[in-house]
Amino acid sequence: MKALIIVDVQNDFLPGGTLAVPAGDEVIAEINRRSSGFDLVVATQDWHPANHGSFASAHSDGKLFELGELDGLPQMLWPDHCVQGSYGAALAEALDQKPIAAIFHKGMDARVDSYSGFFDNGRKHKTGLEDYLKGMGVARMAVCGLAADYCVFYTARDALELGFKVEIILDATRAIDNDQWKTIQREFKQSGGKLI
Ligand code: VGL
Ligand code: ZN
């Protein structure tokens, strides 16, 4: 079984959103075109409470896009984004949602961020995605969506570590920081991941 994991294709990560990924909207057509080629399609959704600790607004001395700290872990401080139930948190309207069999939410605990679709950044809690995929007999997956250098990469890296064969679809992802994304691509290949 080969799965497609669609990561965080949500309004806030698209142009006009509060944490817009440059050209993030370009992934949608690529994903729609490919999703019928997989045995199973699942999506993740960044799903923060309004006071989430990854928001710069939750830190009196925190500056946007700088590293702060959250519960003992280094934490990039983001603009408010993907607040549960908001328009920004909704999946993009243009994304074809019919093939999506299940949606996994992450980032609900205000005290820890969650870039990966599998665990929070402190690796304390699972989202259920691993057990779901293994229960469905999935051994291979392709990962796509937003943002390449954060949630797509962390999801793909954890999937490798959990024993899946993993590829990232380059045409179907976009990065917040393209220099960082280049470095990450090398690291991902070295750990046994594929870029297609
Ligand atoms: C993401 C930053 C903060 C992502 C989520 O989906 O890549 N990035 N929250
Ligand atoms: Zn987030």
Side-chain angles (χ1 to χ4, degrees):
M1 287 278 277
K2 184 167 183 182
L4 178 67
I5 315 295
I6 304 172
V7 175
D8 299 1
V9 179
Q10 294 167 267
N11 292 319
D12 272 341
F13 297 123
L14 302 178
T18 60
L19 181 38
V21 178
D25 54 329
E26 292 177 5
V27 306
I28 297 172
E30 293 296 332
I31 296 171
N32 289 346
R33 197 163 66 73
R34 288 177 158 92
S35 51
S36 60
F38 291 83
D39 304 310
L40 179 69
V41 180
V42 304
T44 66
Q45 212 168 3
D46 211 30
W47 198 246
H48 298 309
N51 63 343
H52 194 263
S54 72
F55 298 169
S57 62
H59 300 248
S60 53
D61 53 351
K63 291 208 191 71
L64 275 178
F65 301 107
E66 286 191 6
L67 274 180
E69 204 187 278
L70 183 59
D71 223 25
L73 293 177
Q75 174 67 50
M76 180 66 91
L77 299 179
W78 303 109
D80 292 20
H81 65 278
C82 297
V83 171
Q84 296 172 6
S86 69
Y87 173 78
L91 294 180
E93 291 100 284
L95 180 71
D96 182 6
Q97 294 182 35
K98 288 188 298 291
I100 299 175
I103 298 179
F104 290 83
H105 293 96
K106 60 189 182 60
M108 283 93 84
D109 180 349
R111 299 298 306 159
V112 66
D113 210 354
S114 191
Y115 295 146
S116 163
F118 291 97
F119 316 98
D120 62 83
N121 292 1
R123 294 211 159 206
K124 292 204 177 97
H125 296 284
K126 294 182 172 197
T127 59
L129 179 58
E130 177 190 3
D131 290 343
Y132 176 79
L133 293 175
K134 289 187 173 165
M136 297 291 264
V138 170
R140 296 180 297 146
M141 69 175 73
V143 186
C144 63
L146 302 168
D149 44 341
Y150 285 93
C151 294
V152 168
F153 166 65
Y154 278 79
T155 298
R157 181 203 65 180
D158 285 350
L160 276 179
E161 219 168 282
L162 293 168
F164 296 97
K165 287 194 122 170
V166 188
E167 52 200 31
I168 294 175
I169 307 171
L170 291 172
D171 286 345
T173 188
R174 293 291 183 279
I176 293 175
D177 176 336
N178 277 303
D179 291 335
Q180 175 166 270
W181 175 221
K182 285 275 180 289
T183 308
I184 287 171
Q185 288 183 42
R186 282 195 293 274
E187 188 184 319
F188 183 67
K189 279 193 278 190
Q190 278 159 11
S191 9
K194 261 178 81 175
L195 299 160
I196 60 163

